[in-house]
Amino acid sequence: MTKIIVDGAHLSIEMVYDVARKNTAIQIDDNAIHKVQNSRKLLENFVDKEFPVYGVTTGYGEMVYILINKKHETELQHNLIRSHAAGVGPYFSKEESRAILLARINSLVKGYSAVREEFIDRLVFYLNNDIIPVIPQIGSLGASGDLAPLSHLAITLIGEGFVFGKDGSPEKTKKILNQFGITPLDLKFKEGLATINGTSAMTGIGSLLVYDAFIQVQTAEIISAIALESQRASSSPFAAVGHDLAKPHQGQVDSACNIRTLLQGSHLIADHKSLCNDLLTQKIESVTPTTVYLQKAYTLRCIPQILGAIRDTLYHVKKVLITELNSANDNPLFFNNEEIFHGGNFHGQPVAFAMDFLSIAITQVGVLSERRTNRLLNKHLNNGLSDFLIKNNPGLCCGLAGAQYPATALVAENRLASTPASIQSIPSNADNQDVVSMGLLSARNTQKIINNTWYILAVELISIVQAIDIAENKSLLSNQGKVVYELVRSFVPLLDQDRCMSEDINKVATLLQTGKLVEALRNSGIDLI
């Protein structure tokens, strides 16, 4: 199997996905190893000259004024990670912990953190042999790095704490290390500090989230397109000139392009350009707004403007995360022929803002979807379809009335979760950490919102295929719409009488979350931006 080369400079979101979710192995670039070796020599030279170095020959945080004899190098590092391994709450998944571990490795091999080559080798061995630390989700302030979660990673290197067993449950680290015939490490100067003093938890988790968010936006565009077909909307709001020339935000341009692709060949969409040409050439005498379905509601007409703005947010967030993934987010740092850099690269403010932006953007995906669901279920807004899209015995049967409630409830929940965490700074560590980013909290909120939004989209998609069946319009769908329709119907049958809807919603949400809808269209020859 091809290995991903890790060099501290070129790690991508897609690489994080492959390592975290596909268990792709990694290999450290030779030039990166040379940088690691050189920075280690610089550190050891400073120590030999008894130069004060933060966290190496001094205490930590507010106790920086206390000098530590270098004979305590291992004890100082071990005490740091033991004291900070204080995370609580549920654990990150194994995939998420793999992403965190990879992000930390890439930061360290950038070559400024002054850890030993043997230390890097052990981290790589962990990842390639699936020895993955169990990391509690709660405890990071995202300022002096993700101290608590990364301490739960670091503590496994000294044979303490827990890693995932074969069945996915926590096992004592020493037991698993014994099975591999390896002994725990004795950490040397700075290695404990270098492991925990960075943003790798929020950045690793954030990388998986932005990957999922791109799939979710593509999914939302697919659902938007078939929603337009179900409501016999117009193609006019998606014409290239209105976006490429008139308002060329890149996300808007891309989203409009995707919608045009998805609507191609539909017999349900009004073609205003053709109608205008017919009118101008006198092939028809006149048209009316009713005939051509002019000016549909914003949830149908403003899709590129809304989803496009969300796309632009994703483009920005991805850029921030790639920069952070390939940064030395550590302190202190060592550069050739330079003084030691005692700075604050461990601070997570860029990632915290990015995760908050993403949480707001994905919340709007759910808002757009739920409002379209409402239109489909409201007989006054759904182009003459039945109340709540019930096929038989309306009144006696409730149709999809109840299915809307979880979607509406989840929109409200997402709005609460999208309250920015990055502004919730609370001073800590005797006011040494007097302004903190809360970046991991921002990422955890975003994760909740993305998960919720799959259910919101699932309710809309179930409503759309139900509307198509009631109107008997399946044969008039675009080929792309037919792919979507058939896939959903292979999991969820027509609602011809009331039944428990939870199972249907869960099935479709899982279908969307696993990317099978996007994949089905790709397999049919439609590859979206």
Side-chain angles (χ1 to χ4, degrees), residues 225-232 268 376 383 385 464 467-468 473:
I226 195 170
L228 291 165
E229 292 197 81
S230 75
Q231 291 293 284
R232 303 184 69 94
L268 294 170
L376 283 165
N383 276 356
L385 300 176
I464 290 168
I468 290 166
N473 280 335

Side-chain angles (χ1 to χ4, degrees), residues 54-338:
Y54 173 76
V56 175
T57 55
T58 75
Y60 300 106
E62 191 64 17
M63 295 185 289
V64 64
Y65 68 93
I66 302 174
L67 294 177
I68 306 298
N69 192 298
K70 63 183 181 180
K71 70 180 181 180
H72 296 300
E73 68 169 311
T74 295
E75 187 178 1
L76 180 66
Q77 300 305 310
H78 287 200
N79 284 346
L80 173 68
I81 60 178
R82 285 172 178 147
S83 67
H84 285 66
V88 297
Y91 302 131
F92 287 115
S93 70
K94 191 174 185 179
E95 291 178 352
E96 291 163 341
S97 292
R98 288 181 63 87
I100 292 169
L101 179 54
L102 175 62
R104 199 74 211 127
I105 291 170
N106 197 60
S107 178
L108 295 176
V109 301
K110 196 162 186 70
Y112 303 131
S113 293
V115 298
R116 293 171 298 152
E117 181 182 353
E118 302 96 295
F119 183 80
I120 298 293
D121 289 343
R122 179 58 57 89
L123 293 175
V124 173
F125 184 87
Y126 265 36
L127 196 53
N128 287 345
N129 289 276
D130 210 29
I131 305 172
I132 307 302
V134 172
I135 302 175
Q137 294 186 15
I138 300 170
S140 171
L141 304 185
S144 192
D146 292 310
L147 292 176
L150 293 178
S151 291
H152 285 274
L153 184 161
I155 203 167
T156 67
L157 300 171
I158 65 174
E160 300 176 20
F162 297 88
V163 297
F164 287 98
K166 289 183 179 179
D167 64 352
S169 61
E171 294 273 9
K172 288 188 175 181
T173 302
K174 211 160 199 179
K175 175 183 175 182
I176 301 299
L177 296 185
N178 287 339
Q179 291 174 3
F180 281 89
I182 59 176
T183 57
L185 291 175
D186 286 330
L187 302 185
K188 302 303 181 181
F189 293 125
K190 195 178 177 287
E191 289 176 338
L193 179 62
T195 309
I196 74 172
N197 204 24
T199 61
S200 298
M202 67 178 82
T203 306
I205 299 297
S207 298
L208 295 180
L209 292 175
V210 77
Y211 186 97
D212 291 341
F214 271 107
I215 299 296
Q216 191 161 82
V217 170
Q218 286 183 325
T219 301
E221 287 168 343
I222 293 166
I223 293 172
S224 295
I226 195 170
L228 291 165
E229 292 197 81
S230 75
Q231 291 293 284
R232 303 184 69 94
S234 166
S235 61
S236 179
F238 313 101
V241 291
H243 308 282
D244 300 25
L245 298 180
K247 194 174 181 179
H249 294 291
Q250 189 60 54
Q252 180 174 331
V253 169
D254 292 345
S255 190
C257 180
N258 282 344
I259 297 296
R260 290 195 302 273
T261 298
L262 290 162
L263 293 179
Q264 190 172 4
S266 174
H267 298 288
L268 294 170
I269 297 295
D271 183 355
H272 284 152
K273 182 177 181 180
S274 176
L275 286 167
C276 288
N277 286 337
D278 288 347
L279 182 62
L280 291 171
T281 58
Q282 298 183 335
K283 290 182 180 179
I284 56 176
E285 293 183 1
S286 65
V287 293
T288 66
T290 303
T291 305
V292 295
Y293 307 105
L294 283 173
Q295 299 288 60
K296 284 285 190 181
Y298 290 3
T299 50
L300 298 170
R301 188 165 25 122
C302 299
I303 293 166
Q305 290 79 7
I306 298 169
L307 293 182
I310 293 164
R311 275 184 167 271
D312 280 334
T313 303
L314 290 184
Y315 298 155
H316 168 70
V317 170
K318 184 175 183 179
K319 181 180 177 182
V320 170
L321 287 169
I322 289 172
T323 299
E324 191 70 23
L325 278 171
N326 294 288
S327 297
N329 39 71
D330 185 11
N331 176 61
L333 298 174
F334 298 82
F335 301 88
N336 286 323
N337 303 317
E338 296 282 348

Side-chain angles (χ1 to χ4, degrees), residues 461-473:
L461 189 50
I462 289 169
S463 302
I464 290 168
V465 296
Q466 183 75 8
I468 290 166
D469 279 334
I470 289 174
E472 299 181 352
N473 280 335

Side-chain angles (χ1 to χ4, degrees), residues 322-365:
I322 289 172
T323 299
E324 191 70 23
L325 278 171
N326 294 288
S327 297
N329 39 71
D330 185 11
N331 176 61
L333 298 174
F334 298 82
F335 301 88
N336 286 323
N337 303 317
E338 296 282 348
E339 65 177 279
I340 302 171
F341 178 77
H342 284 96
N345 280 3
F346 47 66
H347 205 287
Q349 201 71 64
V351 179
F353 282 155
M355 288 294 98
D356 278 346
F357 297 161
L358 183 56
S359 73
I360 292 167
I362 298 301
T363 295
Q364 194 67 1
V365 173

